[in-house]
Amino acid sequence: KSASGWTVLTLAEIKAVAAAISHYVQACFSREKDLHAIVDGMEDAAAVIALDITKGWPNSVIGGAAA
């Protein structure tokens, strides 16, 4: 379903959508791993509290890379 109504996707289009979703989810997991490593290396709670965890997340995925 699209803004203009029902649509039929080809197998190639479905695979492209699935790949984009997969890359996006992987980029989110990678960011989570990075944040975990950052927090794990911090020395005190104040540093953890000061960390802005809202930055660095993927907004979209184009060509398999987080944008």
Side-chain angles (χ1 to χ4, degrees):
K1 190 171 179 181
S2 68
S4 61
W6 293 100
T7 186
V8 176
L9 299 176
T10 66
L11 179 58
E13 291 169 326
I14 292 170
K15 285 181 177 182
V17 169
I21 292 168
S22 174
H23 290 295
Y24 178 80
V25 170
Q26 183 58 57
C28 289
F29 283 138
S30 294
R31 179 61 181 147
E32 178 187 14
K33 182 180 178 186
D34 292 344
L35 285 171
H36 183 272
I38 291 167
V39 170
D40 204 32
M42 291 181 165
E43 298 292 325
D44 56 42
V48 175
I49 292 168
L51 177 63
D52 184 357
I53 62 169
T54 65
K55 293 184 179 176
W57 293 94
N59 293 334
S60 65
V61 177
I62 300 169

